[in-house]
């Protein structure tokens, strides 16, 4: 009901009083009958009764005593607000507890009125203010949501509008390069490759723009899994080495032999590195060097620390605080290609999403060192949430789901989607507070294993196993491209009681890791 | 043998044309449609082996167009490959849930596309062979 209909028309305002004192209820009744407007009064003595009445019909306002036989303090407000979020609450309070009343307002009540000071005017005014305030907040929330929705739609629209012509440029350049429009001269081929390369760059810029916009509405998402640190840096050198070489800059790596895996979103980790290296390339002259380094963080050994160090121009000390800001551009770039000034801001957001941090040290004329941290992959840290309850290790089973490409004709895109969708289905089958989807240990190419650590005995695990298989087979669109198999393994329970919990947990996670590696055939 | 036909539904004529060149070079015949209604009519007339559908058409939602294909018994079984520049996971799931054969990002990876079309052709050839040799299959 909108504010104007409550205030303007002749309809009686519906009021629900929840108060265990008959005297207080009468006081409200008297105050309202003296008012010029019409009120329709309903009463409840206990919170349970009040909640039942809220279930039956929506009053325009609830007058709520905080200390009821079945509920005390701000809890009373929370329970009413939870039951009827669209009904304003006016708290009735004694003269001695305005501290509690203020807290109630913070918890979700619109206003309070002291019973001893209640007369017809004060009560009706407070009630209408409560209704009005509630309405204003609801309207604000709604318009904020509308803005966010609009922004989403706008982004999706812009993304499409920008990409379509770009896709066209890309397709025709490819069509010509493949000789579909007749044979090409060497020059024509070179120019077309330049068109293609720049179209690719434009596509990356659009991606950056969309990433930055999503970060702004808190929608930049990561999907962390176990990532092999050595492998990912090797991949980066392959990916960026040629580009560095054409600029006359050497790309080197320093990686400790015992570098552990990290818990990260591989695609995003690569994105952070690419941003940092491309940034370094912009400020480093030919003959310079860019070094990628991975080591265990000295400040916090639970993290792996990555650095990208260049021998470039360095950053002016007074700008060090600004460079992670959106749209910031450092002036003395070597190349004339400036980019959008979003790369570092996006990188910062992504590092923070991983739970790490990023910073820079630099000296003018000597170069810059960008450092960021990402949590080490630790199975025991992940499984402890599920395994440890009341300081004890729980009985547990490992349930595995194996999927494989059903036929050769399944493309990589379809396979990737099948994996994602299957994971999502498996995720729906587990209880998040009891069971846990273990991060994938390594990509298996044509196969995928999903492991679930379930806090249950072997018979419970076999129920879970059957449920998952049933859901996967019943799911439309994915069964024709993949083959599923499930299995469950009871975990060994032979943990010595005299060891400490941490020790036991470490032992169990090592056992789990061994089992996973063995079962995956790695 | 006549080349297999593929129906392209995209309002961007340039893009559709580039795709047509690519398909022709691989021995497919492309049929172009710019809107949902004409796409249904062309699909009925040409019996394509697959339909390439752009998700963002000017006046209608690509998903609604796909539903129209599904509701026509003569073409309900033709695999629909949805193309979109909006490659978010949510969109991909929505499209596949609605019954699409596959989802392809724009800019299109033509190797993936050709691979998919070969797969579709092989499967339909298998089915025809089965039906020819085993008449009971028809009743299934």
């Amino acid at each position: 009901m909108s504010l104007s209909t409550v205030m303007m028309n002749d309809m009686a305002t519906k009021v629900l009083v929840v108060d265990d004192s008959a005297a207080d209820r009468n006081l409200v009744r008297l105050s309202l009958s003296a008012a010029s407007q019409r009120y329709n009064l309903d009463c409840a003595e206990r919170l349970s009764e009040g909640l039942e009445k809220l279930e039956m019909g929506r009053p325009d306002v609830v007058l709520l005593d905080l200390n009821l036989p079945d509920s005390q303090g701000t809890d009373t407000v929370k329970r009413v607000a939870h039951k009827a979020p669209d009904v304003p609450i006016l708290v009735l309070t004694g003269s001695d507890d305005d501290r509690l009343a203020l807290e109630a307002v913070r918890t979700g009540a619109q206003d309070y009125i002291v019973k001893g000071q209640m007369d017809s005017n004060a009560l009706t005014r407070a009630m209408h203010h409560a209704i009005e305030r509630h309405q204003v907040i609801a309207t604000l929330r709604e318009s904020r949501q509308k803005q966010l929705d609009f922004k989403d739609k706008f982004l999706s629209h812009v993304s499409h509008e920008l990409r379509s012509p770009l896709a066209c440029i890309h397709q025709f350049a490819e069509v010509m390069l493949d000789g579909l429009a007749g044979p090409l001269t060497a020059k024509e081929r070179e120019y077309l490759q330049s068109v293609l390369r720049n179209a690719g760059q434009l596509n990356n810029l659009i991606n950056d723009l969309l990433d930055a916009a999503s970060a702004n509405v808190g929608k930049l998402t990561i999907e962390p899994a176990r990532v092999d640190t050595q492998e990912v840096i090797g991949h980066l050198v392959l990916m960026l080495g040629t580009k560095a070489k054409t600029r006359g800059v050497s790309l080197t790596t320093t990686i400790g032999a015992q570098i552990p895996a990290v818990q990260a979103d591989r695609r995003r980790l690569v994105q952070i590195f690419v941003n940092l290296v491309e940034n370094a390339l912009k400020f480093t002259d030919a003959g310079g060097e860019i070094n990628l380094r991975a080591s265990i963080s000295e400040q916090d050994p639970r993290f792996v620390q990555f650095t990208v160090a260049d021998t470039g121009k360095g950053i002016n000390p007074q700008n060090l605080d600004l460079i992670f800001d959106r749209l910031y551009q450092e002036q003395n770039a070597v190349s004339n290609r400036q980019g959008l000034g979003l790369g570092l801001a996006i990188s910062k957001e992504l590092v923070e999403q991983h739970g790490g941090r990023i910073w820079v040290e630099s000296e003018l004329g000597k170069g810059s060192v960008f450092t960021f941290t990402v949590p080490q992959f630790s199975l025991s840290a992940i499984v402890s949430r599920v395994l440890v309850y009341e300081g004890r290790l729980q009985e547990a089973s490992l349930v595995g789901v194996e999927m494989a490409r059903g036929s050769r004709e399944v493309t990589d895109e379809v396979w990737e989607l099948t994996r994602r969708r299957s994971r999502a289905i498996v995720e729906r089958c587990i209880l998040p507070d009891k069971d846990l989807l273990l991060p994938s240990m390594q990509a298996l190419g044509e196969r995928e294993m999903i492991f679930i650590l379930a806090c249950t005995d072997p018979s419970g695990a076999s129920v879970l196993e059957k449920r998952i298989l049933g859901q996967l087979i019943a799911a439309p669109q994915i069964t024709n491209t993949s083959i599923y198999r499930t299995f469950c393994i009871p975990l060994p329970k032979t943990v010595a009681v005299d060891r400490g919990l941490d020790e036991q947990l470490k032992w169990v996670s090592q056992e789990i890791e061994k089992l996973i590696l063995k079962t995956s055939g790695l | 043998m006549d080349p297999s036909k593929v129906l392209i539904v995209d309002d961007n004529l340039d893009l559709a044309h580039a795709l047509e060149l690519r398909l022709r070079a691989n021995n497919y015949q492309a049929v172009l449609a710019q809107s949902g209604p004409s796409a249904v009519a062309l699909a009925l007339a040409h019996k394509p082996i697959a339909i390439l559908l752009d998700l963002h058409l000017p006046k209608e939602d690509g998903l609604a167009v796909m539903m129209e294909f599904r509701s026509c018994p003569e073409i309900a079984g033709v695999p629909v490959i949805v193309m979109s520049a909006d490659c978010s996971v949510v969109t991909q799931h929505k499209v596949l849930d609605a019954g699409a054969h596959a989802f392809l990002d724009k800019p299109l990876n033509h190797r993936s596309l050709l691979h998919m079309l070969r797969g579709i052709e092989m499967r339909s050839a298998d089915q025809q062979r089965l039906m020819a040799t085993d008449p009971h299959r028809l009743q299934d």
Side-chain angles (χ1 to χ4, degrees):
Chain A
M1 179 178 290
S2 83
L3 180 62
S4 52
T5 49
V6 177
M7 305 293 277
M8 306 305 257
N9 72 13
D10 290 340
M11 289 267 289
T13 305
K14 281 187 271 175
V15 181
L16 174 65
V17 184
V18 187
D19 197 323
D20 57 329
S21 145
D24 288 346
R25 291 200 301 273
N26 264 330
L27 183 64
V28 170
R29 194 187 309 277
L30 276 174
S31 303
L32 290 185
S33 62
S36 56
Q37 248 192 304
R38 285 198 297 130
Y39 291 93
N40 194 339
L41 194 63
D42 198 0
C43 296
E45 292 177 33
R46 307 169 69 87
L47 181 65
S48 54
E49 192 190 341
L51 293 179
E52 262 167 42
K53 292 205 159 158
L54 282 171
E55 184 116 347
M56 315 263 274
R58 290 277 184 260
D60 296 314
V61 61
V62 177
L63 305 186
L64 187 63
D65 182 21
L66 292 186
N67 294 318
L68 298 166
D70 54 347
S71 178
Q72 305 291 313
T74 52
D75 214 30
T76 318
V77 177
K78 275 185 210 152
R79 288 164 69 182
V80 171
H82 180 75
K83 176 62 108 188
D86 52 341
V87 177
I89 300 168
L90 177 62
V91 166
L92 301 174
T93 166
S95 55
D96 52 345
D97 51 3
D98 58 337
R99 198 187 47 80
L100 177 65
L102 279 174
E103 212 178 307
V105 170
R106 271 195 291 275
T107 315
Q110 267 62 48
D111 203 352
Y112 69 92
I113 184 164
V114 179
K115 284 175 195 168
Q117 298 159 8
M118 189 159 60
D119 61 23
S120 177
N121 277 335
L123 179 61
T124 52
R125 199 174 57 235
M127 266 175 19
H128 285 291
H129 281 170
I131 293 171
E132 193 172 356
R133 211 185 117 155
H134 192 269
Q135 185 76 35
V136 167
I137 291 172
T139 314
L140 270 178
R141 195 171 295 152
E142 202 178 305
S143 88
R144 167 100 183 118
Q145 191 55 48
K146 265 195 195 136
Q147 274 178 13
L148 287 179
D149 290 349
F150 174 77
K151 193 166 181 173
D152 269 3
K153 272 211 193 96
F154 179 73
L155 279 177
S156 153
H157 180 71
V158 166
S159 147
H160 178 249
E161 291 303 304
L162 290 177
R163 271 189 234 241
S164 286
L166 193 57
C168 239
I169 295 170
H170 202 273
Q171 299 288 359
F172 274 106
E174 272 192 338
V175 161
M176 288 167 81
L177 267 174
D178 289 351
L180 299 186
L184 295 176
T185 66
K187 274 266 173 272
E188 284 167 339
R189 177 167 294 276
E190 184 194 329
Y191 296 161
L192 278 171
Q193 265 155 356
S194 170
V195 169
L196 209 55
R197 199 166 44 241
N198 281 280
Q201 185 138 12
L202 195 49
N203 198 41
N204 289 343
L205 289 174
I206 294 172
N207 287 343
D208 268 7
L209 203 58
L210 288 172
D211 267 357
S214 321
N216 206 14
V217 290
K219 279 199 170 168
L220 207 57
T221 51
I222 62 163
E223 288 172 38
R226 182 180 185 276
V227 177
D228 187 326
T229 309
Q230 298 256 19
E231 183 274 326
V232 82
I233 292 193
H235 169 78
L236 281 160
V237 172
L238 275 181
M239 197 175 146
L240 298 163
T242 340
K243 192 167 183 183
K245 214 178 203 172
T246 56
R247 300 268 182 92
V249 174
S250 63
L251 188 64
T252 59
T253 59
T254 314
I255 309 168
Q258 296 291 307
I259 195 77
V262 287
Q263 169 78 354
D265 184 322
R266 191 178 183 284
R267 201 170 60 86
R268 296 301 198 180
L269 188 61
V270 167
Q271 189 181 354
I272 298 167
F273 263 116
V274 168
N275 280 341
L276 293 181
V277 172
E278 292 205 326
N279 201 51
L281 277 171
K282 272 185 219 160
F283 297 96
T284 308
D285 286 312
E289 182 193 342
I290 296 173
N291 180 251
L292 307 183
R293 203 179 124 92
S295 59
I296 293 176
S297 164
E298 279 171 25
Q299 284 98 359
D300 188 344
R302 290 173 306 165
F303 285 81
V304 169
Q305 178 169 311
F306 295 100
T307 61
V308 176
D310 66 55
T311 56
K313 294 189 180 302
I315 302 158
N316 205 327
Q318 70 210 37
N319 295 338
L320 278 180
D321 289 342
L322 301 174
I323 60 166
F324 291 107
D325 285 355
R326 208 172 277 229
L327 303 181
Y328 178 77
Q329 299 265 14
E330 182 74 12
Q331 289 310 313
N332 46 8
V334 175
S335 81
N336 51 7
R337 197 164 275 154
Q338 287 277 350
L340 291 176
L342 290 171
L344 288 180
I346 294 168
S347 300
K348 180 168 190 274
E349 178 71 27
L350 287 173
V351 168
E352 284 169 0
Q353 285 264 342
H354 279 88
R357 50 187 209 98
I358 185 169
W359 67 95
V360 61
E361 291 147 293
S362 182
E363 202 174 323
L364 271 180
K366 292 238 171 114
S368 308
V369 182
F370 282 85
T371 309
F372 67 96
T373 59
V374 174
Q376 250 193 60
F377 175 80
S378 150
L379 199 57
S380 68
I382 294 165
V383 302
S384 64
R385 187 161 66 80
V386 159
L387 274 188
V388 180
Y389 178 64
E390 289 175 350
R392 290 184 294 129
L393 276 184
Q394 295 286 301
E395 180 164 35
S397 310
L398 205 58
V399 177
V401 181
E402 180 179 3
M403 44 191 285
R405 279 198 208 207
S407 68
R408 289 236 138 244
E409 71 195 44
V410 177
T411 60
D412 288 346
E413 278 93 347
V414 173
W415 174 237
E416 177 59 29
L417 261 168
T418 307
R419 292 171 54 203
R420 278 171 180 275
R421 290 164 62 82
S422 307
R423 258 189 109 77
I425 289 168
V426 172
E427 210 158 327
R428 280 205 299 272
C429 293
I430 65 172
L431 303 170
D433 50 335
K434 265 192 98 191
D435 310 332
L436 181 72
L437 216 56
L438 293 174
S440 49
M441 307 296 279
Q442 202 165 331
L444 291 165
E446 306 258 303
R447 284 195 306 151
E448 163 98 359
M449 293 274 205
I450 303 174
F451 286 96
I452 300 119
L453 181 67
C455 243
T456 175
D457 55 16
S459 70
S462 73
V463 172
L464 179 62
E465 185 198 332
K466 288 203 186 82
R467 192 196 320 155
I468 292 172
L469 192 60
Q471 294 273 321
L472 283 173
I473 287 172
Q477 301 312 318
I478 55 174
T479 42
N480 56 350
T481 60
S482 37
I483 295 165
Y484 293 95
R485 197 167 70 87
T486 56
F487 49 88
C488 61
I489 315 162
L491 285 176
K493 281 198 293 184
T494 51
V495 190
V497 192
D498 55 329
R499 297 196 223 176
L501 187 64
D502 279 352
E503 191 86 348
Q504 290 179 32
L505 194 56
K506 205 171 150 194
W507 186 83
V508 174
S509 20
Q510 277 168 0
E511 286 299 309
I512 294 175
E513 195 155 355
K514 265 192 248 162
L515 268 173
I516 291 178
L517 291 177
K518 198 173 115 198
T519 318
S520 320
L522 289 171
Chain B
M1 199 176 109
D2 283 346
S4 305
K5 289 176 182 171
V6 175
L7 175 63
I8 303 171
V9 191
D10 198 326
D11 62 299
N12 186 332
L13 272 184
D14 287 337
L15 210 54
H17 186 208
L19 204 50
E20 185 184 10
L21 288 174
R22 181 66 66 186
L23 289 175
R24 200 191 298 154
N26 287 278
N27 207 23
Y28 291 103
Q29 184 190 334
V31 182
L32 304 189
Q34 282 178 271
S35 71
S38 67
V40 174
L42 285 170
L44 284 170
H46 288 274
K47 299 274 182 323
I49 58 154
I51 299 168
L52 303 180
L53 174 66
D54 182 31
L55 200 55
H56 301 260
L57 293 170
K59 287 198 185 100
E60 59 238 304
D61 178 14
L63 284 182
V65 175
M66 192 161 74
M67 290 309 156
E68 277 177 57
F69 290 138
R70 299 265 131 172
S71 62
C72 276
E74 297 97 317
I75 48 172
V78 181
V80 178
I81 298 171
V82 171
M83 317 176 284
S84 173
D86 169 10
C87 48
S88 74
V89 180
V90 181
T91 309
Q92 298 187 25
H93 281 194
K94 213 157 65 182
V95 164
L96 292 180
D97 279 339
H101 176 78
F103 182 95
L104 284 176
D105 289 349
K106 280 182 170 182
L108 225 53
N109 177 340
H110 59 261
R111 279 180 205 87
S112 294
L113 174 64
L114 292 172
H115 200 69
M116 247 174 225
L117 291 178
R118 292 271 176 261
I120 290 169
E121 269 188 312
M122 269 159 51
R123 205 169 343 192
S124 75
D126 279 353
Q127 254 160 22
Q128 273 165 12
R129 220 175 18 247
L130 267 177
M131 283 191 210
T133 52
D134 183 0
H136 299 293
R137 273 307 272 221
L138 278 173
Q139 284 149 20
D140 282 354

